[in-house]
Amino acid sequence: MEPPIGIERRRPASFAGLALDRVRIMGVVNVTPDSFSDGGETLGADVAIARGLALAASGADVIDVGGESTRPGASPVPVDVEIARVVPVVRGLARAGLLVSVDTRRSAVMRVACDEGARIINDVTSLAGDPESLGFAAVSGMSVVLMHMQGEPQTMQERPVYRDVVAEVLAFLAERVLACEAAGVPRTRLAVDPGIGFGKTLAHNLALLRSIDRFTGLGCAVLVGVSRKRFIAELGRGEPPLDRLGGSLAAALAAIDGGCSLVRVHDVAETAQAIAVWSAVREQTG
Ligand code: HH2
């Protein structure tokens, strides 16, 4: 019989220098005009830096800076535009002493973000979207979030199909972990993410959220991003993204219950409060 889910036992000791003795919060700063929930809110560098600092003050352990939306239907932006959006924000937040991750699928963006002080690559293509990403991750020493996505953002929600979504996403991430290790990125520098909403129906998202404990078996930290995503409205009453906080918290706690170590969220203060209460009830720190 499987032991009861004990998140302390299943988590690796640390990720990107963060001790995982408690659940860690990745706060989102999108420097984009078109992100699905906060597009345009923090498009200016000063506003984006202020948002990142505020999220850190609210309890975010890492700030994830993105310059390209990967929402369903999104088109890629030119790489120079992505760099121009991301660089001043990464620089400002890293100089303020924050742990910064860069949400990108392009090695050129990873490279400049690293030069500016980012310490984590968050790649929705699991370092497979650009032939130079894997090598750069190895030599840079950065930590990496490997996320599963079926297809491309532009078309991924048209008709996602799996025979067994949990087995297939697990197999994909296991293959990417091995590819990283072979390229020189040790498992201790990796986190895995099932990619909620990335080429997945409601049923697929729920199957993955029910199976987070199986992802902990890959030997890496597990990160989950459910914040404001469409499946919440599908389970609710069709609420727009900014009205999905309740569902976002419920889904994050469900993932944490399954043993995930990091949650990627827009509403940091509310998530920190929810985790504090959940942890106290569970008699676990964090
Ligand atoms: N979700 C989004 C973007 N990046 N990265 C990881 N690792 N996991 C996720 O679930 C994830 C992610 C989508 O959210 P957001 O950044 O708010 O929207 P957009 O892609 O429209 O900018």
Side-chain angles (χ1 to χ4, degrees):
M1 204 177 77
E2 270 198 63
I5 294 163
I7 65 163
E8 301 301 331
R9 281 184 292 128
R10 289 186 177 224
R11 287 187 195 143
S14 65
F15 173 70
L18 289 172
L20 298 181
D21 54 344
R22 58 192 175 90
V23 178
R24 297 295 185 162
I25 298 176
M26 174 184 272
V28 179
V29 174
N30 283 319
V31 198
T32 58
D34 59 341
S35 287
F36 79 95
S37 80
D38 56 358
E41 269 181 31
T42 48
L43 190 51
D46 290 350
V47 184
I49 292 167
R51 172 71 61 87
L53 294 172
L55 294 182
S58 301
D61 300 288
V62 42
I63 304 298
D64 192 38
V65 179
E68 179 189 53
S69 172
T70 48
R71 75 184 192 287
S75 305
V77 299
V79 67
D80 52 322
V81 172
E82 189 182 347
I83 287 174
R85 289 176 181 170
V86 156
V87 159
V89 182
V90 170
R91 181 188 301 143
L93 295 175
R95 284 191 183 165
L98 303 188
L99 179 60
V100 177
S101 74
V102 61
D103 186 352
T104 187
R105 34 190 182 160
R106 290 168 165 147
S107 61
V109 182
M110 297 170 193
R111 208 175 287 277
V112 289
C114 180
D115 289 344
E116 297 294 348
R119 289 290 160 259
I120 301 172
I121 298 165
N122 174 26
D123 185 355
V124 299
T125 70
S126 274
L127 299 182
D130 175 331
E132 290 181 25
S133 297
L134 207 46
F136 175 71
V139 297
S140 67
M142 291 174 84
S143 296
V144 183
V145 180
L146 301 170
M147 198 200 79
H148 174 273
M149 167 168 68
Q150 187 181 82
E152 285 289 315
Q154 216 153 11
T155 51
M156 67 189 176
Q157 288 307 110
E158 281 176 10
R159 204 175 68 87
V161 178
Y162 300 83
R163 204 177 18 81
D164 177 338
V165 65
V166 176
E168 287 170 50
V169 174
L170 265 172
F172 171 84
L173 290 173
E175 183 277 320
R176 294 312 299 158
V177 169
L178 290 178
C180 285
E181 285 184 321
V185 188
R187 205 169 284 227
T188 48
R189 278 190 5 227
L190 299 174
V192 291
D193 178 346
I196 298 299
F198 283 84
K200 280 122 190 156
T201 63
L202 171 61
H204 297 144
N205 289 323
L206 291 176
L208 291 165
L209 285 172
R210 288 187 191 111
S211 305
I212 294 301
D213 62 317
R214 292 176 61 189
F215 289 85
T216 65
L218 293 172
C220 309
V222 177
L223 182 147
V224 174
V226 287
S227 186
R228 301 179 179 175
K229 287 192 175 168
R230 188 183 300 177
F231 78 97
I232 295 167
E234 290 171 355
L235 291 167
R237 299 175 170 194
E239 294 87 346
L242 292 179
D243 293 339
R244 297 176 189 166
L245 176 58
S248 300
L249 296 176
L253 292 182
I256 292 167
D257 221 26
C260 94
S261 295
L262 301 111
V263 286
R264 180 183 182 278
V265 304
H266 303 86
D267 301 291
V268 169
E270 295 83 353
T271 304
Q273 188 183 67
I275 292 172
V277 172
W278 178 88
S279 302
V281 173
R282 285 286 179 136
E283 293 183 314
Q284 285 158 342
T285 49

